[in-house]
Amino acid sequence: DADTTRLVLHLQDGVHTRAWWPQAFAAQVDVVLAPGQLQVVCSVHNTGGEAWDFTIALHSYLRVDDIAQARVHGLAGCARWDAVADVHGTQSGDIAFAGEYDSVFAASPSPLNLLDGAQGLDITQSPSMGQTVVWNPGAALCARLPDLPPDGYRHMLCVEAAQIDTPVRLAPGAVWSGAQQLRVR
């Protein structure tokens, strides 16, 4: 399609990667950009002779007009771990933001909706991603992060497809794939 742009990034284990990750692997990230949508697919291949485990999160830093007005709809009823307060529970209603927010949810089978003023974004993820992470650093943490301006938290939100609660066990020769898709409403 003439309106679609695709970027494929590939990484295979070698001398430099083994300092960080000793297992034999090949990883690929496919980024597909089309009018009004973005899809990111990550594939991991165990190229070695022994099984190994890994976790993954597709870190999506989304720009919002005003975090105080942003809402995430679609996680009500999902199990939630509030990482800031270290409390487990169930999400009730939409997610709103007032201060640092860092929670891991059981993934919803339905699309999520990020509402940002008059704009909206539908967010879906593959069933192989069992969790969704929602994060905004808030003012205090943002001031300590070197890669964000002091008020950067006001205009960003992460809604990440993830598989972190239960690591993926990848047998020799096996391939795993996970994805997230963002669509403008």
Side-chain angles (χ1 to χ4, degrees):
D1 185 345
D3 292 337
T4 300
T5 300
R6 182 178 182 162
L7 172 67
V8 178
L9 304 170
H10 182 79
L11 178 66
Q12 191 164 346
D13 68 287
V15 174
H16 298 296
T17 65
R18 287 191 194 108
W20 297 92
W21 182 260
Q23 289 80 6
F25 74 94
Q28 182 170 308
V29 175
D30 290 280
V31 180
V32 180
L33 185 61
Q37 64 182 330
L38 169 71
Q39 181 178 24
V40 178
V41 180
C42 183
S43 300
V44 180
H45 180 194
N46 180 344
T47 59
E50 295 185 26
W52 40 262
D53 299 335
F54 71 97
T55 59
I56 185 171
L58 299 177
H59 296 282
S60 54
Y61 284 71
L62 306 172
R63 176 153 175 84
V64 295
D65 286 337
D66 180 2
I67 192 64
Q69 301 302 313
R71 301 287 180 271
V72 176
H73 173 78
L75 288 165
C78 293
R80 173 183 175 208
W81 173 51
D82 178 337
V84 176
D86 194 18
V87 174
H88 292 266
T90 302
Q91 177 62 30
S92 176
D94 290 350
I95 300 169
F97 304 92
E100 183 180 355
Y101 192 94
D102 189 359
S103 290
V104 179
F105 296 87
S108 172
S110 302
L112 305 181
N113 309 111
L114 170 57
L115 307 171
D116 180 28
Q119 300 181 51
L121 190 65
D122 291 334
I123 304 169
T124 58
Q125 63 190 59
S126 63
S128 57
M129 298 286 220
Q131 291 82 47
T132 301
V133 177
V134 179
W135 178 70
N136 178 278
L141 178 57
C142 185
R144 298 189 312 265
L145 296 174
D147 57 344
L148 283 175
D151 68 343
Y153 74 95
R154 293 178 187 221
H155 303 290
M156 63 82 62
L157 178 65
C158 291
V159 181
E160 307 169 11
Q163 182 58 45
I164 53 179
D165 284 351
T166 304
V168 175
R169 181 104 177 131
L170 207 57
V175 176
W176 175 93
S177 185
Q180 182 179 54
Q181 185 172 41
L182 310 172
R183 275 185 200 257
V184 175
R185 299 179 99 198

